[in-house]
Amino acid sequence: MLAADPGASIASIAAEAGVDRRTVYRRFASREDLLAAIYEARLTAIESAIEDARLREAPVAVALHRYVENIIAVNRAWPVDLARMLADDDVRARRDASVREVDAFLERATEEGLLRDGLPEGWAGALLVQLMHLVSRQLPELSPARAADVVVDTLLNGLGAS
C-alpha cells in the first residue's frame, strides 16, 4: 500500500491487512515507527541480497545474475523508496555501504571484461538499478530468476540487433 500511496493512513493499512488499527498501533507507536520498520526490513534484505551474491568472490557473471535476482525479489517484497529515510544517518550509512559494495563489484566486472570500459562514471550502476526497478514493476509475471535473465541480458547486450 505504501508503495502505491506513500500517504496511506494507518487505518487504511490496517484494513488492508485485515486487522484493527489498534492492532497496528500496539506494534508501532506511530506511522513513522511503521515506516522505519519497513525501511529497516528493506535495508536488511538488500544487505542479505548482496552478501548472498558473493560479489567479491564469485565469478562476475554468476555474482551479477545472483545479485540482480536477489534485488528483484527484494524490490517486489519491499516496494518502497528508501529516499524518505536517507535523512537518518544510520540508514544513509547502511545504504551507502551497500552502494559502495555494488560499485566495487561493477568495477571488478569492468576490469574482468564483463562490462565495457570507458563508460561515464556510475553509468553501469545507475542503469542496473533502473533496469531492476523496471523489471520488478513491469514484468511481475516473471520469476526473479527469469527477470534477472532479462536484466542481465539487457545490461550486457543492449537492445540492438547484433
Side-chain angles (χ1 to χ4, degrees):
M1 280 190 76
L2 290 168
D5 178 11
S9 69
I10 292 289
S12 62
I13 292 167
E16 181 70 21
V19 299
D20 186 82
R21 72 174 189 187
R22 290 174 296 200
T23 302
V24 176
Y25 279 117
R26 273 195 294 275
R27 174 103 166 126
F28 305 102
S30 68
R31 186 174 190 287
E32 290 72 33
D33 287 349
L34 172 62
L35 287 172
I38 291 168
Y39 293 132
E40 169 67 27
R42 180 174 167 83
L43 275 170
T44 298
I46 289 168
E47 291 163 347
S48 294
I50 290 170
E51 184 179 330
D52 180 66
R54 300 179 52 235
L55 298 180
R56 293 176 191 236
E57 50 285 330
V60 290
V62 173
L64 175 62
H65 193 280
R66 186 66 179 176
Y67 168 73
V68 171
E69 183 178 346
N70 290 346
I71 294 298
I72 289 167
V74 170
N75 287 345
R76 289 177 175 170
W78 302 102
V80 293
D81 184 11
L82 283 176
R84 293 173 179 239
M85 288 295 290
L86 292 181
D88 180 288
D89 290 339
D90 291 335
V91 171
R92 181 179 293 280
R94 288 175 64 193
R95 195 282 315 249
D96 289 351
S98 293
V99 169
R100 283 191 302 275
E101 189 76 21
V102 173
D103 286 348
F105 167 72
L106 293 173
E107 186 175 312
R108 176 180 160 224
T110 301
E111 290 167 0
E112 293 188 20
L114 187 69
L115 297 175
R116 185 174 71 221
D117 196 16
L119 295 172
E121 186 175 333
W123 183 248
L127 183 58
L128 182 57
V129 166
Q130 293 304 313
L131 288 171
M132 291 185 298
H133 281 291
L134 185 63
V135 79
S136 296
R137 288 170 178 79
Q138 297 295 320
L139 299 173
E141 71 279 3
L142 295 181
S143 69
R146 180 65 186 113
D149 291 345
V150 172
V151 168
V152 170
D153 182 58
T154 302
L155 183 71
L156 298 180
N157 301 311
L159 297 175
S162 299

